[in-house]
Amino acid sequence: MSSGYCIGAGHVLTAGHAVGPGAVSVRFGGSQEVPARVLVHGGEQVDLAILALDGPGAPEAPEVRIAHVDTGQATRLDCQGVGYPWWKEDENASGGPRPRGRAQLVGFVPTAEGTAGGRLTLHVEAAPRDDANGQADSIWSSISGTVVFAGDRSGGELAIGVVVAHRRRDGASALTLEPLSAIERLEPEKREAFRSLLGVGRDVRIPLLSGTSYPEPVPPQRQVSVRRILAGVLAAVLIVAGALVWSSHQDSVADGLTGGSGINATLTGTGRPGDPNSWWVLKDPQPAPAADTTIAVLAAAHEGAPMAEQTIRFTLQGNRHSGVMLTDIGARVIDRQAPLAGTAYMAEPGGNAPALRVGLDLDEDQPRARTYSGDDSRTLGGFYFDANGFSLAYRETTPVTVTAFAQRSLVRFVLVVSYTVDGKLQHTELTDTGGKPFAVSGIADHLAGAYTLPVGPAGTAWVTAGTTRADFNSLAVRLNP
């Protein structure tokens, strides 16, 4: 028996040893079962596995963000996870699989402690008596596969590892974790399969968490929100004769970062494939599409990004009775690469206007919110918050639209909202759906192809457009500080 976690898109992350030979089925609540199969397995080297659900009935689940743990210094990394150990089984159930209650693992990882194989140790605050099950095996039986999360500085949660064992000689409160960083030791094909299913691109740098130095107390923003963990679908796994059985629970949580921050930021929309008057560029060349093919269909089948600009809409809400004062909106750049040079597509037309509207020039070293120069939506002026104040009272909300422009590079980034509460500067980061960074591709010197779909009757054909950088002069952004 083991535990596990749904990581979105019909995938399940668990311990590798939990998936034995034989049929695999996943049970979501009650007795409903869904067939599943192993997509990737770490083998004997890495005790991790990811399953794919092959039937209907799985709940929606947000994708997770992952992090590696800095084991080069002795610090304390506060963590949480939720699993289904043996001792939470309902003893009064009769007939069929007995339902399991959840056990919330609240504790910390001493970053310099671990096994000789590079595994981490999670010390939980509370543990049952080691002899409570009356068996020779561990009371923590079935806790393997539980995904453990640690908080980042913005108040979000990042998965750092999976419980894979309880070594009784370590004590009842110590559990062994296989860190997600272990996938980097795998052969390239298997490593990239894990990274892709965990939502991490080949060239994306994974955050490195270092924890809090002893004996300094853990700041509130480093605490992990179990509500967000529950939103990711908690699962219990029952293994009988090599079969895997999973039950789960899910809460519905809005996109965005809330918790104990001074401002709640909720993502309400972003530029997507097929947005009117917006170009979408693919990584690889593609032929002219059929008349009834949409950009959304093309983008779903091929890697791509908005070209030249990305519109991000979100709502800010004050979360302090004393009020908060916005001081800036900027971008933290994750990485920069050469712009995508495959095929570009654009459909026509559309528009909208929010209460707070700013632009970001991602080609700047430290992008900050800028004003628009007059009515020209492609000429950016001075830094918005250098000349404008914007405050939010308790529970007051305001819609915000940020348009991020890139000309030279493919830029992946997260938005950073800065504000003061009682004179203290704080920051909240906002990511795209599933905790992924936003992305905007600059304009390549030469594209493999470009097509537009004019507004017209059904069946209107795609029209060939120019493919050189000069053909996209209308997308150029100017600074007029």
Side-chain angles (χ1 to χ4, degrees), residues 62-230:
E63 296 177 344
V64 299
R65 292 188 300 153
I66 72 171
H68 293 170
V69 176
D70 183 0
T71 58
Q73 53 183 320
T75 61
R76 170 193 175 108
L77 189 61
D78 284 70
C79 303
Q80 289 199 65
V82 181
Y84 292 77
W86 178 92
W87 50 274
K88 283 292 185 179
E89 188 171 275
D90 186 355
E91 296 180 355
N92 298 321
S94 59
R98 292 182 176 182
R100 289 282 179 89
R102 297 191 299 268
Q104 182 177 343
L105 310 182
V106 180
F108 67 97
V109 169
T111 57
E113 178 181 333
T115 68
R119 290 176 174 170
L120 303 172
T121 301
L122 171 66
H123 291 270
V124 296
E125 294 177 356
R129 293 198 335 266
D130 195 35
D131 61 349
N133 62 351
Q135 301 180 38
D137 58 346
S138 168
I139 187 61
W140 286 112
S141 175
S142 302
I143 203 66
S144 288
T146 298
V147 178
V148 174
F149 292 80
D152 66 6
R153 295 186 182 275
S154 69
E157 298 85 46
L158 299 96
I160 63 166
V162 174
V163 177
V164 294
H166 170 226
R167 304 194 316 169
R168 299 184 71 173
R169 62 181 178 271
D170 290 339
S173 63
L175 299 172
T176 301
L177 305 184
E178 182 76 274
L180 294 182
S181 58
I183 64 177
E184 304 301 326
R185 304 197 307 263
L186 295 169
E187 58 271 23
E189 183 177 354
K190 188 173 290 187
R191 179 183 67 238
E192 296 309 322
F194 266 109
R195 287 177 64 104
S196 176
L197 291 168
L198 290 169
V200 181
R202 178 188 300 270
D203 300 315
V204 174
R205 291 192 297 272
I206 298 175
L208 186 67
L209 298 182
S210 57
T212 303
S213 299
Y214 295 100
E216 182 180 325
V218 182
Q221 64 266 30
R222 295 297 297 268
Q223 305 285 343
V224 182
S225 167
V226 74
R227 182 168 179 252
R228 291 282 292 180
I229 296 176
L230 287 173

Side-chain angles (χ1 to χ4, degrees), residues 387-419:
N388 298 277
F390 203 101
S391 61
L392 286 172
Y394 182 63
R395 298 305 183 194
E396 180 184 2
T397 62
T398 185
V400 180
T401 291
V402 174
T403 302
F405 299 94
Q407 302 292 302
R408 300 193 297 265
S409 308
L410 169 63
V411 183
R412 295 184 176 88
F413 64 99
V414 297
L415 286 183
V416 180
V417 179
S418 302
Y419 56 93

Side-chain angles (χ1 to χ4, degrees), residues 219-280:
Q221 64 266 30
R222 295 297 297 268
Q223 305 285 343
V224 182
S225 167
V226 74
R227 182 168 179 252
R228 291 282 292 180
I229 296 176
L230 287 173
V233 186
L234 303 171
V237 186
L238 307 179
I239 304 177
V240 181
L244 183 66
V245 183
W246 209 292
S247 68
S248 67
H249 171 76
Q250 177 185 11
D251 292 334
S252 175
V253 179
D255 287 321
L257 301 174
T258 54
S261 61
I263 280 182
N264 297 337
T266 303
L267 185 69
T268 57
T270 60
R272 293 302 184 195
D275 278 2
N277 287 337
S278 296
W279 284 94
W280 191 270

